[in-house]
PDB file of all heavy atoms in Angstrom:
ATOM      1  N   VAL A   1       6.541   4.034   3.544  1.00 97.00           N
ATOM      2  CA  VAL A   1       7.169   3.110   2.633  1.00 97.00           C
ATOM      3  C   VAL A   1       7.207   3.757   1.240  1.00 97.00           C
ATOM      4  O   VAL A   1       6.132   4.148   0.735  1.00 97.00           O
ATOM      5  CB  VAL A   1       6.446   1.769   2.509  1.00 97.00           C
ATOM      6  CG1 VAL A   1       7.192   0.818   1.584  1.00 97.00           C
ATOM      7  CG2 VAL A   1       6.328   1.127   3.887  1.00 97.00           C
ATOM      8  N   GLU A   2       8.372   3.936   0.671  1.00 96.00           N
ATOM      9  CA  GLU A   2       8.490   4.575  -0.669  1.00 96.00           C
ATOM     10  C   GLU A   2       9.029   3.602  -1.714  1.00 96.00           C
ATOM     11  O   GLU A   2      10.039   2.922  -1.486  1.00 96.00           O
ATOM     12  CB  GLU A   2       9.393   5.797  -0.600  1.00 96.00           C
ATOM     13  CG  GLU A   2       9.492   6.500  -1.973  1.00 96.00           C
ATOM     14  CD  GLU A   2      10.671   7.426  -2.089  1.00 96.00           C
ATOM     15  OE1 GLU A   2      10.792   8.353  -1.305  1.00 96.00           O
ATOM     16  OE2 GLU A   2      11.505   7.169  -2.988  1.00 96.00           O
ATOM     17  N   PHE A   3       8.369   3.575  -2.880  1.00 96.00           N
ATOM     18  CA  PHE A   3       8.835   2.828  -4.028  1.00 96.00           C
ATOM     19  C   PHE A   3       9.229   3.812  -5.141  1.00 96.00           C
ATOM     20  O   PHE A   3       8.624   4.872  -5.258  1.00 96.00           O
ATOM     21  CB  PHE A   3       7.700   1.897  -4.565  1.00 96.00           C
ATOM     22  CG  PHE A   3       7.390   0.747  -3.670  1.00 96.00           C
ATOM     23  CD1 PHE A   3       6.516   0.871  -2.607  1.00 96.00           C
ATOM     24  CD2 PHE A   3       7.975  -0.494  -3.871  1.00 96.00           C
ATOM     25  CE1 PHE A   3       6.208  -0.170  -1.773  1.00 96.00           C
ATOM     26  CE2 PHE A   3       7.699  -1.549  -3.073  1.00 96.00           C
ATOM     27  CZ  PHE A   3       6.807  -1.427  -2.000  1.00 96.00           C
ATOM     28  N   VAL A   4      10.203   3.422  -5.957  1.00 94.00           N
ATOM     29  CA  VAL A   4      10.586   4.271  -7.064  1.00 94.00           C
ATOM     30  C   VAL A   4       9.554   4.168  -8.238  1.00 94.00           C
ATOM     31  O   VAL A   4       9.496   5.053  -9.087  1.00 94.00           O
ATOM     32  CB  VAL A   4      11.986   3.948  -7.614  1.00 94.00           C
ATOM     33  CG1 VAL A   4      13.052   4.185  -6.562  1.00 94.00           C
ATOM     34  CG2 VAL A   4      12.097   2.531  -8.133  1.00 94.00           C
ATOM     35  N   SER A   5       8.776   3.094  -8.237  1.00 92.00           N
ATOM     36  CA  SER A   5       7.803   2.850  -9.315  1.00 92.00           C
ATOM     37  C   SER A   5       6.379   3.043  -8.841  1.00 92.00           C
ATOM     38  O   SER A   5       5.994   2.484  -7.775  1.00 92.00           O
ATOM     39  CB  SER A   5       8.018   1.407  -9.851  1.00 92.00           C
ATOM     40  OG  SER A   5       6.870   0.958 -10.528  1.00 92.00           O
ATOM     41  N   LYS A   6       5.576   3.808  -9.558  1.00 91.00           N
ATOM     42  CA  LYS A   6       4.153   3.958  -9.212  1.00 91.00           C
ATOM     43  C   LYS A   6       3.452   2.607  -9.208  1.00 91.00           C
ATOM     44  O   LYS A   6       2.639   2.301  -8.361  1.00 91.00           O
ATOM     45  CB  LYS A   6       3.455   4.896 -10.208  1.00 91.00           C
ATOM     46  CG  LYS A   6       3.684   6.352 -10.047  1.00 91.00           C
ATOM     47  CD  LYS A   6       2.658   7.142 -10.853  1.00 91.00           C
ATOM     48  CE  LYS A   6       3.089   8.567 -11.088  1.00 91.00           C
ATOM     49  NZ  LYS A   6       3.984   8.680 -12.274  1.00 91.00           N
ATOM     50  N   LYS A   7       3.731   1.788 -10.211  1.00 90.00           N
ATOM     51  CA  LYS A   7       3.074   0.517 -10.367  1.00 90.00           C
ATOM     52  C   LYS A   7       3.334  -0.373  -9.128  1.00 90.00           C
ATOM     53  O   LYS A   7       2.440  -1.007  -8.604  1.00 90.00           O
ATOM     54  CB  LYS A   7       3.538  -0.168 -11.635  1.00 90.00           C
ATOM     55  CG  LYS A   7       2.821  -1.507 -11.942  1.00 90.00           C
ATOM     56  CD  LYS A   7       3.256  -2.088 -13.274  1.00 90.00           C
ATOM     57  CE  LYS A   7       2.537  -3.383 -13.556  1.00 90.00           C
ATOM     58  NZ  LYS A   7       2.989  -3.999 -14.836  1.00 90.00           N
ATOM     59  N   GLU A   8       4.621  -0.393  -8.723  1.00 94.00           N
ATOM     60  CA  GLU A   8       4.965  -1.247  -7.590  1.00 94.00           C
ATOM     61  C   GLU A   8       4.370  -0.695  -6.302  1.00 94.00           C
ATOM     62  O   GLU A   8       3.941  -1.483  -5.428  1.00 94.00           O
ATOM     63  CB  GLU A   8       6.491  -1.317  -7.452  1.00 94.00           C
ATOM     64  CG  GLU A   8       7.040  -2.642  -6.900  1.00 94.00           C
ATOM     65  CD  GLU A   8       6.696  -3.850  -7.792  1.00 94.00           C
ATOM     66  OE1 GLU A   8       6.379  -3.655  -8.973  1.00 94.00           O
ATOM     67  OE2 GLU A   8       6.735  -4.970  -7.276  1.00 94.00           O
ATOM     68  N   ALA A   9       4.296   0.629  -6.173  1.00 94.00           N
ATOM     69  CA  ALA A   9       3.661   1.220  -5.004  1.00 94.00           C
ATOM     70  C   ALA A   9       2.186   0.839  -4.937  1.00 94.00           C
ATOM     71  O   ALA A   9       1.638   0.483  -3.871  1.00 94.00           O
ATOM     72  CB  ALA A   9       3.811   2.731  -5.025  1.00 94.00           C
ATOM     73  N   ASN A  10       1.526   0.891  -6.070  1.00 93.00           N
ATOM     74  CA  ASN A  10       0.105   0.523  -6.124  1.00 93.00           C
ATOM     75  C   ASN A  10      -0.092  -0.949  -5.765  1.00 93.00           C
ATOM     76  O   ASN A  10      -1.065  -1.338  -5.075  1.00 93.00           O
ATOM     77  CB  ASN A  10      -0.468   0.812  -7.511  1.00 93.00           C
ATOM     78  CG  ASN A  10      -0.610   2.301  -7.785  1.00 93.00           C
ATOM     79  OD1 ASN A  10      -0.517   3.115  -6.870  1.00 93.00           O
ATOM     80  ND2 ASN A  10      -0.830   2.672  -9.029  1.00 93.00           N
ATOM     81  N   ARG A  11       0.768  -1.811  -6.322  1.00 93.00           N
ATOM     82  CA  ARG A  11       0.690  -3.254  -6.017  1.00 93.00           C
ATOM     83  C   ARG A  11       0.836  -3.486  -4.509  1.00 93.00           C
ATOM     84  O   ARG A  11       0.059  -4.257  -3.896  1.00 93.00           O
ATOM     85  CB  ARG A  11       1.754  -4.021  -6.778  1.00 93.00           C
ATOM     86  CG  ARG A  11       1.499  -4.211  -8.258  1.00 93.00           C
ATOM     87  CD  ARG A  11       2.598  -5.042  -8.896  1.00 93.00           C
ATOM     88  NE  ARG A  11       2.640  -6.390  -8.319  1.00 93.00           N
ATOM     89  CZ  ARG A  11       3.742  -7.089  -8.131  1.00 93.00           C
ATOM     90  NH1 ARG A  11       4.943  -6.575  -8.445  1.00 93.00           N
ATOM     91  NH2 ARG A  11       3.686  -8.288  -7.623  1.00 93.00           N
ATOM     92  N   PHE A  12       1.815  -2.842  -3.918  1.00 95.00           N
ATOM     93  CA  PHE A  12       2.070  -3.013  -2.471  1.00 95.00           C
ATOM     94  C   PHE A  12       0.874  -2.523  -1.670  1.00 95.00           C
ATOM     95  O   PHE A  12       0.470  -3.129  -0.693  1.00 95.00           O
ATOM     96  CB  PHE A  12       3.337  -2.296  -2.080  1.00 95.00           C
ATOM     97  CG  PHE A  12       3.639  -2.371  -0.609  1.00 95.00           C
ATOM     98  CD1 PHE A  12       4.148  -3.519  -0.045  1.00 95.00           C
ATOM     99  CD2 PHE A  12       3.410  -1.251   0.191  1.00 95.00           C
ATOM    100  CE1 PHE A  12       4.442  -3.600   1.315  1.00 95.00           C
ATOM    101  CE2 PHE A  12       3.704  -1.339   1.569  1.00 95.00           C
ATOM    102  CZ  PHE A  12       4.185  -2.505   2.112  1.00 95.00           C
ATOM    103  N   TYR A  13       0.332  -1.369  -2.107  1.00 94.00           N
ATOM    104  CA  TYR A  13      -0.828  -0.774  -1.413  1.00 94.00           C
ATOM    105  C   TYR A  13      -2.009  -1.737  -1.381  1.00 94.00           C
ATOM    106  O   TYR A  13      -2.663  -1.928  -0.353  1.00 94.00           O
ATOM    107  CB  TYR A  13      -1.198   0.524  -2.134  1.00 94.00           C
ATOM    108  CG  TYR A  13      -2.382   1.275  -1.572  1.00 94.00           C
ATOM    109  CD1 TYR A  13      -2.368   1.808  -0.278  1.00 94.00           C
ATOM    110  CD2 TYR A  13      -3.513   1.484  -2.350  1.00 94.00           C
ATOM    111  CE1 TYR A  13      -3.438   2.505   0.246  1.00 94.00           C
ATOM    112  CE2 TYR A  13      -4.601   2.165  -1.861  1.00 94.00           C
ATOM    113  CZ  TYR A  13      -4.564   2.690  -0.582  1.00 94.00           C
ATOM    114  OH  TYR A  13      -5.625   3.411  -0.061  1.00 94.00           O
ATOM    115  N   LYS A  14      -2.228  -2.430  -2.491  1.00 91.00           N
ATOM    116  CA  LYS A  14      -3.319  -3.399  -2.566  1.00 91.00           C
ATOM    117  C   LYS A  14      -3.046  -4.619  -1.696  1.00 91.00           C
ATOM    118  O   LYS A  14      -3.907  -5.116  -0.974  1.00 91.00           O
ATOM    119  CB  LYS A  14      -3.526  -3.870  -4.028  1.00 91.00           C
ATOM    120  CG  LYS A  14      -4.081  -2.772  -4.905  1.00 91.00           C
ATOM    121  CD  LYS A  14      -4.210  -3.259  -6.355  1.00 91.00           C
ATOM    122  CE  LYS A  14      -4.731  -2.157  -7.284  1.00 91.00           C
ATOM    123  NZ  LYS A  14      -4.779  -2.592  -8.703  1.00 91.00           N
ATOM    124  N   VAL A  15      -1.772  -5.087  -1.746  1.00 91.00           N
ATOM    125  CA  VAL A  15      -1.383  -6.254  -0.948  1.00 91.00           C
ATOM    126  C   VAL A  15      -1.506  -5.979   0.526  1.00 91.00           C
ATOM    127  O   VAL A  15      -2.064  -6.781   1.318  1.00 91.00           O
ATOM    128  CB  VAL A  15       0.054  -6.692  -1.297  1.00 91.00           C
ATOM    129  CG1 VAL A  15       0.599  -7.683  -0.258  1.00 91.00           C
ATOM    130  CG2 VAL A  15       0.120  -7.324  -2.661  1.00 91.00           C
ATOM    131  N   ILE A  16      -0.980  -4.855   0.979  1.00 91.00           N
ATOM    132  CA  ILE A  16      -0.960  -4.526   2.384  1.00 91.00           C
ATOM    133  C   ILE A  16      -2.366  -4.271   2.937  1.00 91.00           C
ATOM    134  O   ILE A  16      -2.665  -4.571   4.110  1.00 91.00           O
ATOM    135  CB  ILE A  16      -0.038  -3.319   2.671  1.00 91.00           C
ATOM    136  CG1 ILE A  16       0.549  -3.417   4.079  1.00 91.00           C
ATOM    137  CG2 ILE A  16      -0.726  -2.003   2.475  1.00 91.00           C
ATOM    138  CD1 ILE A  16       1.631  -4.451   4.210  1.00 91.00           C
ATOM    139  N   ARG A  17      -3.271  -3.783   2.094  1.00 89.00           N
ATOM    140  CA  ARG A  17      -4.642  -3.522   2.580  1.00 89.00           C
ATOM    141  C   ARG A  17      -5.424  -4.804   2.712  1.00 89.00           C
ATOM    142  O   ARG A  17      -6.349  -4.890   3.546  1.00 89.00           O
ATOM    143  CB  ARG A  17      -5.340  -2.564   1.614  1.00 89.00           C
ATOM    144  CG  ARG A  17      -4.837  -1.141   1.708  1.00 89.00           C
ATOM    145  CD  ARG A  17      -5.619  -0.221   0.810  1.00 89.00           C
ATOM    146  NE  ARG A  17      -6.993  -0.039   1.249  1.00 89.00           N
ATOM    147  CZ  ARG A  17      -7.882   0.694   0.574  1.00 89.00           C
ATOM    148  NH1 ARG A  17      -7.539   1.311  -0.542  1.00 89.00           N
ATOM    149  NH2 ARG A  17      -9.109   0.826   1.033  1.00 89.00           N
ATOM    150  N   ARG A  18      -5.116  -5.817   1.924  1.00 84.00           N
ATOM    151  CA  ARG A  18      -5.862  -7.054   2.006  1.00 84.00           C
ATOM    152  C   ARG A  18      -5.281  -8.003   3.057  1.00 84.00           C
ATOM    153  O   ARG A  18      -5.867  -8.997   3.447  1.00 84.00           O
ATOM    154  CB  ARG A  18      -5.957  -7.764   0.677  1.00 84.00           C
ATOM    155  CG  ARG A  18      -4.672  -8.423   0.218  1.00 84.00           C
ATOM    156  CD  ARG A  18      -4.909  -9.384  -0.948  1.00 84.00           C
ATOM    157  NE  ARG A  18      -3.709 -10.135  -1.236  1.00 84.00           N
ATOM    158  CZ  ARG A  18      -2.967  -9.946  -2.294  1.00 84.00           C
ATOM    159  NH1 ARG A  18      -3.284  -9.063  -3.221  1.00 84.00           N
ATOM    160  NH2 ARG A  18      -1.870 -10.687  -2.467  1.00 84.00           N
ATOM    161  N   ASP A  19      -4.035  -7.749   3.520  1.00 75.00           N
ATOM    162  CA  ASP A  19      -3.330  -8.595   4.440  1.00 75.00           C
ATOM    163  C   ASP A  19      -3.910  -8.431   5.853  1.00 75.00           C
ATOM    164  O   ASP A  19      -4.055  -7.305   6.334  1.00 75.00           O
ATOM    165  CB  ASP A  19      -1.841  -8.241   4.457  1.00 75.00           C
ATOM    166  CG  ASP A  19      -1.004  -9.337   5.145  1.00 75.00           C
ATOM    167  OD1 ASP A  19      -1.386  -9.729   6.252  1.00 75.00           O
ATOM    168  OD2 ASP A  19      -0.003  -9.738   4.550  1.00 75.00           O
ATOM    169  N   ARG A  20      -4.296  -9.517   6.488  1.00 64.00           N
ATOM    170  CA  ARG A  20      -4.883  -9.423   7.819  1.00 64.00           C
ATOM    171  C   ARG A  20      -3.992  -8.737   8.843  1.00 64.00           C
ATOM    172  O   ARG A  20      -4.426  -8.063   9.744  1.00 64.00           O
ATOM    173  CB  ARG A  20      -5.288 -10.820   8.322  1.00 64.00           C
ATOM    174  CG  ARG A  20      -6.495 -11.410   7.638  1.00 64.00           C
ATOM    175  CD  ARG A  20      -6.998 -12.699   8.315  1.00 64.00           C
ATOM    176  NE  ARG A  20      -5.973 -13.714   8.398  1.00 64.00           N
ATOM    177  CZ  ARG A  20      -5.302 -14.006   9.495  1.00 64.00           C
ATOM    178  NH1 ARG A  20      -5.580 -13.394  10.621  1.00 64.00           N
ATOM    179  NH2 ARG A  20      -4.397 -14.976   9.500  1.00 64.00           N
ATOM    180  N   GLN A  21      -2.648  -8.945   8.650  1.00 62.00           N
ATOM    181  CA  GLN A  21      -1.726  -8.353   9.631  1.00 62.00           C
ATOM    182  C   GLN A  21      -1.726  -6.820   9.552  1.00 62.00           C
ATOM    183  O   GLN A  21      -1.282  -6.139  10.467  1.00 62.00           O
ATOM    184  CB  GLN A  21      -0.275  -8.837   9.365  1.00 62.00           C
ATOM    185  CG  GLN A  21      -0.083 -10.316   9.724  1.00 62.00           C
ATOM    186  CD  GLN A  21       1.382 -10.677   9.604  1.00 62.00           C
ATOM    187  OE1 GLN A  21       2.188 -10.304  10.426  1.00 62.00           O
ATOM    188  NE2 GLN A  21       1.714 -11.409   8.557  1.00 62.00           N
ATOM    189  N   SER A  22      -2.209  -6.304   8.393  1.00 65.00           N
ATOM    190  CA  SER A  22      -2.224  -4.850   8.254  1.00 65.00           C
ATOM    191  C   SER A  22      -3.262  -4.205   9.203  1.00 65.00           C
ATOM    192  O   SER A  22      -3.375  -2.994   9.240  1.00 65.00           O
ATOM    193  CB  SER A  22      -2.530  -4.427   6.808  1.00 65.00           C
ATOM    194  OG  SER A  22      -3.827  -4.846   6.438  1.00 65.00           O
ATOM    195  N   ASP A  23      -4.006  -5.042   9.934  1.00 80.00           N
ATOM    196  CA  ASP A  23      -4.908  -4.519  10.925  1.00 80.00           C
ATOM    197  C   ASP A  23      -4.170  -3.784  12.054  1.00 80.00           C
ATOM    198  O   ASP A  23      -4.800  -3.073  12.843  1.00 80.00           O
ATOM    199  CB  ASP A  23      -5.725  -5.684  11.564  1.00 80.00           C
ATOM    200  CG  ASP A  23      -6.729  -6.267  10.578  1.00 80.00           C
ATOM    201  OD1 ASP A  23      -6.978  -5.631   9.545  1.00 80.00           O
ATOM    202  OD2 ASP A  23      -7.221  -7.390  10.855  1.00 80.00           O
ATOM    203  N   ILE A  24      -2.866  -3.911  12.085  1.00 89.00           N
ATOM    204  CA  ILE A  24      -2.105  -3.146  13.099  1.00 89.00           C
ATOM    205  C   ILE A  24      -2.157  -1.656  12.799  1.00 89.00           C
ATOM    206  O   ILE A  24      -1.895  -0.845  13.687  1.00 89.00           O
ATOM    207  CB  ILE A  24      -0.615  -3.593  13.138  1.00 89.00           C
ATOM    208  CG1 ILE A  24       0.093  -3.304  11.800  1.00 89.00           C
ATOM    209  CG2 ILE A  24      -0.498  -5.060  13.481  1.00 89.00           C
ATOM    210  CD1 ILE A  24       1.596  -3.487  11.858  1.00 89.00           C
ATOM    211  N   PHE A  25      -2.550  -1.286  11.547  1.00 93.00           N
ATOM    212  CA  PHE A  25      -2.663   0.151  11.228  1.00 93.00           C
ATOM    213  C   PHE A  25      -4.134   0.593  11.299  1.00 93.00           C
ATOM    214  O   PHE A  25      -5.031  -0.096  10.857  1.00 93.00           O
ATOM    215  CB  PHE A  25      -2.140   0.390   9.805  1.00 93.00           C
ATOM    216  CG  PHE A  25      -0.697   0.061   9.620  1.00 93.00           C
ATOM    217  CD1 PHE A  25      -0.319  -1.048   8.914  1.00 93.00           C
ATOM    218  CD2 PHE A  25       0.287   0.876  10.152  1.00 93.00           C
ATOM    219  CE1 PHE A  25       1.040  -1.371   8.713  1.00 93.00           C
ATOM    220  CE2 PHE A  25       1.632   0.577   9.979  1.00 93.00           C
ATOM    221  CZ  PHE A  25       2.024  -0.543   9.296  1.00 93.00           C
ATOM    222  N   ASP A  26      -4.298   1.767  11.887  1.00 92.00           N
ATOM    223  CA  ASP A  26      -5.657   2.376  11.896  1.00 92.00           C
ATOM    224  C   ASP A  26      -6.013   2.938  10.522  1.00 92.00           C
ATOM    225  O   ASP A  26      -7.173   2.976  10.162  1.00 92.00           O
ATOM    226  CB  ASP A  26      -5.718   3.473  12.973  1.00 92.00           C
ATOM    227  CG  ASP A  26      -5.456   2.938  14.365  1.00 92.00           C
ATOM    228  OD1 ASP A  26      -6.217   2.023  14.766  1.00 92.00           O
ATOM    229  OD2 ASP A  26      -4.526   3.409  15.030  1.00 92.00           O
ATOM    230  N   ASN A  27      -4.991   3.436   9.808  1.00 93.00           N
ATOM    231  CA  ASN A  27      -5.220   4.010   8.486  1.00 93.00           C
ATOM    232  C   ASN A  27      -4.054   3.670   7.552  1.00 93.00           C
ATOM    233  O   ASN A  27      -2.899   3.639   7.993  1.00 93.00           O
ATOM    234  CB  ASN A  27      -5.349   5.537   8.558  1.00 93.00           C
ATOM    235  CG  ASN A  27      -6.715   5.970   9.054  1.00 93.00           C
ATOM    236  OD1 ASN A  27      -7.742   5.694   8.420  1.00 93.00           O
ATOM    237  ND2 ASN A  27      -6.755   6.642  10.202  1.00 93.00           N
ATOM    238  N   ILE A  28      -4.369   3.397   6.314  1.00 94.00           N
ATOM    239  CA  ILE A  28      -3.334   3.166   5.279  1.00 94.00           C
ATOM    240  C   ILE A  28      -3.637   4.096   4.132  1.00 94.00           C
ATOM    241  O   ILE A  28      -4.746   4.130   3.586  1.00 94.00           O
ATOM    242  CB  ILE A  28      -3.340   1.694   4.803  1.00 94.00           C
ATOM    243  CG1 ILE A  28      -3.113   0.755   5.970  1.00 94.00           C
ATOM    244  CG2 ILE A  28      -2.309   1.511   3.704  1.00 94.00           C
ATOM    245  CD1 ILE A  28      -3.188  -0.712   5.611  1.00 94.00           C
ATOM    246  N   PHE A  29      -2.660   4.905   3.738  1.00 95.00           N
ATOM    247  CA  PHE A  29      -2.841   5.913   2.713  1.00 95.00           C
ATOM    248  C   PHE A  29      -1.896   5.690   1.534  1.00 95.00           C
ATOM    249  O   PHE A  29      -0.810   5.104   1.715  1.00 95.00           O
ATOM    250  CB  PHE A  29      -2.604   7.313   3.245  1.00 95.00           C
ATOM    251  CG  PHE A  29      -3.493   7.708   4.381  1.00 95.00           C
ATOM    252  CD1 PHE A  29      -2.964   8.016   5.630  1.00 95.00           C
ATOM    253  CD2 PHE A  29      -4.877   7.757   4.206  1.00 95.00           C
ATOM    254  CE1 PHE A  29      -3.811   8.402   6.673  1.00 95.00           C
ATOM    255  CE2 PHE A  29      -5.732   8.118   5.244  1.00 95.00           C
ATOM    256  CZ  PHE A  29      -5.175   8.429   6.484  1.00 95.00           C
ATOM    257  N   LEU A  30      -2.278   6.155   0.335  1.00 95.00           N
ATOM    258  CA  LEU A  30      -1.433   6.106  -0.826  1.00 95.00           C
ATOM    259  C   LEU A  30      -1.184   7.550  -1.256  1.00 95.00           C
ATOM    260  O   LEU A  30      -2.077   8.379  -1.291  1.00 95.00           O
ATOM    261  CB  LEU A  30      -2.162   5.371  -1.974  1.00 95.00           C
ATOM    262  CG  LEU A  30      -1.432   5.250  -3.299  1.00 95.00           C
ATOM    263  CD1 LEU A  30      -0.176   4.414  -3.163  1.00 95.00           C
ATOM    264  CD2 LEU A  30      -2.338   4.669  -4.380  1.00 95.00           C
ATOM    265  N   LEU A  31       0.091   7.833  -1.585  1.00 94.00           N
ATOM    266  CA  LEU A  31       0.473   9.159  -2.048  1.00 94.00           C
ATOM    267  C   LEU A  31       1.405   9.007  -3.242  1.00 94.00           C
ATOM    268  O   LEU A  31       2.554   8.610  -3.092  1.00 94.00           O
ATOM    269  CB  LEU A  31       1.148   9.957  -0.926  1.00 94.00           C
ATOM    270  CG  LEU A  31       1.509  11.408  -1.220  1.00 94.00           C
ATOM    271  CD1 LEU A  31       0.260  12.185  -1.660  1.00 94.00           C
ATOM    272  CD2 LEU A  31       2.173  12.057  -0.013  1.00 94.00           C
ATOM    273  N   ASN A  32       0.874   9.326  -4.444  1.00 93.00           N
ATOM    274  CA  ASN A  32       1.680   9.242  -5.672  1.00 93.00           C
ATOM    275  C   ASN A  32       1.365  10.435  -6.562  1.00 93.00           C
ATOM    276  O   ASN A  32       0.552  11.306  -6.205  1.00 93.00           O
ATOM    277  CB  ASN A  32       1.516   7.892  -6.364  1.00 93.00           C
ATOM    278  CG  ASN A  32       0.096   7.653  -6.821  1.00 93.00           C
ATOM    279  OD1 ASN A  32      -0.669   8.589  -7.069  1.00 93.00           O
ATOM    280  ND2 ASN A  32      -0.296   6.400  -6.900  1.00 93.00           N
ATOM    281  N   GLY A  33       1.916  10.416  -7.761  1.00 91.00           N
ATOM    282  CA  GLY A  33       1.722  11.529  -8.677  1.00 91.00           C
ATOM    283  C   GLY A  33       0.332  11.630  -9.235  1.00 91.00           C
ATOM    284  O   GLY A  33      -0.006  12.632  -9.883  1.00 91.00           O
ATOM    285  N   TYR A  34      -0.529  10.647  -9.010  1.00 94.00           N
ATOM    286  CA  TYR A  34      -1.918  10.678  -9.476  1.00 94.00           C
ATOM    287  C   TYR A  34      -2.875  11.229  -8.430  1.00 94.00           C
ATOM    288  O   TYR A  34      -4.054  11.394  -8.699  1.00 94.00           O
ATOM    289  CB  TYR A  34      -2.369   9.278  -9.863  1.00 94.00           C
ATOM    290  CG  TYR A  34      -1.579   8.653 -10.994  1.00 94.00           C
ATOM    291  CD1 TYR A  34      -1.301   7.293 -11.026  1.00 94.00           C
ATOM    292  CD2 TYR A  34      -1.112   9.433 -12.051  1.00 94.00           C
ATOM    293  CE1 TYR A  34      -0.596   6.704 -12.061  1.00 94.00           C
ATOM    294  CE2 TYR A  34      -0.358   8.867 -13.075  1.00 94.00           C
ATOM    295  CZ  TYR A  34      -0.112   7.505 -13.059  1.00 94.00           C
ATOM    296  OH  TYR A  34       0.600   6.935 -14.089  1.00 94.00           O
TER     297      TYR A  34
END
């Protein structure tokens, strides 16, 4: 999943990690300019 904004990518990363449905993933990673 790619966002044009770092801030929006970070927000989504936090949301998806706390969402119970995200248990479908074994690993969730963030990749940005930082």
Side-chain angles (χ1 to χ4, degrees):
V1 182
E2 182 199 301
F3 290 85
V4 297
S5 158
K6 282 196 199 84
K7 183 176 180 181
E8 212 62 19
N10 289 347
R11 286 182 62 213
F12 177 75
Y13 180 63
K14 291 177 182 177
V15 166
I16 208 74
R17 288 183 68 182
R18 74 165 188 251
D19 195 310
R20 285 190 303 104
Q21 290 186 74
S22 65
D23 291 344
I24 63 170
F25 297 107
D26 298 303
N27 282 297
I28 301 176
F29 300 119
L30 179 66
L31 184 57
N32 61 28
Y34 299 144

